[in-house]
Amino acid sequence: MDAAEFKQQFLPYHRKLYRTAFRLTENPQEAEDMVQEAYLKLWNKRNELTGVLNTEAYCVTLVKNLCYDALRRSRPDEDGHAPEELNLPTDTNIAREVEQRDEVNQVRWLIGRLPEQQKRVILLRDVNDCSFEEIEQATGLNAINIRVLLSRARKKIREQYNAIMNYESK
């Protein structure tokens, strides 16, 4: 397999691989590193990949495994000491992190309460970063319907979130 064939076969999966890695690492730089490492492994094994039936699934599995390996390496050893490469920031504001997680959980909860079509479209667009064309293919809706559903879902979440924040501040 030459470089052109490789690019044609594997580069279309970049966004999906990145989203998968980001979901697992929760860090944009680490996610991109995992995707690059996956492409390097794929390139080195390019001549062995001709028998793979579902290249997309193979690539996603490869990225997941790379992320799991990295996460395992970053866990503390059995003696309770963190590995040397794990440097936790010292200026982290714990209260702000907890607050941000709480906000994220509230938004997730609000998304879960949306009508099914709105929930599906907002998850595809805002969480999974799918293009409108990808959403059209996944849902069978046209671009106008998708935009309307997104607008309504975002408005509803914004209103409910603001109501929660106003209630909590009283």
Side-chain angles (χ1 to χ4, degrees):
M1 176 181 304
D2 66 355
E5 289 175 291
F6 182 85
K7 287 179 185 178
Q8 183 180 10
Q9 188 170 7
F10 294 105
L11 285 186
Y13 305 132
H14 185 272
R15 285 179 57 164
K16 185 169 191 166
L17 298 178
Y18 176 81
R19 287 191 307 263
T20 302
F22 183 77
R23 242 180 267 122
L24 293 171
T25 63
E26 298 178 346
N27 181 312
Q29 291 82 18
E30 282 185 52
E32 190 59 44
D33 288 346
M34 292 297 122
V35 172
Q36 292 305 317
E37 189 173 337
Y39 277 124
L40 180 63
K41 286 185 181 282
L42 289 168
W43 176 254
N44 290 335
K45 295 178 103 180
R46 67 189 175 276
N47 294 325
E48 301 169 29
L49 299 175
T50 54
V52 175
L53 297 176
N54 188 340
T55 54
E56 181 178 6
Y58 184 87
C59 292
V60 170
T61 302
L62 176 62
V63 166
K64 282 182 180 179
N65 289 337
L66 289 170
C67 290
Y68 292 144
D69 289 345
L71 291 170
R72 265 187 240 113
R73 283 192 305 268
S74 69
R75 285 194 185 139
D77 293 335
E78 291 174 13
D79 64 355
H81 294 93
E84 293 175 28
E85 69 267 5
L86 181 63
N87 296 320
L88 297 175
T90 56
D91 61 336
T92 304
N93 184 345
I94 302 290
R96 181 65 189 143
E97 279 186 37
V98 170
E99 188 177 306
Q100 286 176 335
R101 282 193 188 129
D102 186 43
E103 290 171 358
V104 167
N105 287 335
Q106 286 177 341
V107 171
R108 284 183 180 155
W109 181 75
L110 291 172
I111 289 173
R113 295 183 59 210
L114 289 171
E116 203 54 43
Q117 276 192 322
Q118 288 180 4
K119 181 187 339 179
R120 188 168 185 206
V121 169
I122 202 164
L123 287 172
L124 287 169
R125 180 67 180 171
D126 293 339
V127 176
N128 294 333
D129 197 31
C130 292
S131 68
F132 284 100
E133 293 79 26
E134 291 170 325
I135 298 171
E136 285 179 22
Q137 291 173 354
T139 62
L141 299 170
N142 66 36
I144 295 170
N145 290 346
I146 292 168
R147 291 180 200 285
V148 168
L149 288 169
L150 271 175
S151 175
R152 289 179 182 166
R154 289 172 179 159
K155 181 180 179 188
K156 191 172 198 173
I157 289 171
R158 189 171 33 254
E159 289 170 352
Q160 291 177 345
Y161 182 80
N162 288 336
I164 291 170
M165 290 294 113
N166 289 334
Y167 178 78
E168 288 179 357
S169 65
K170 289 182 180 181

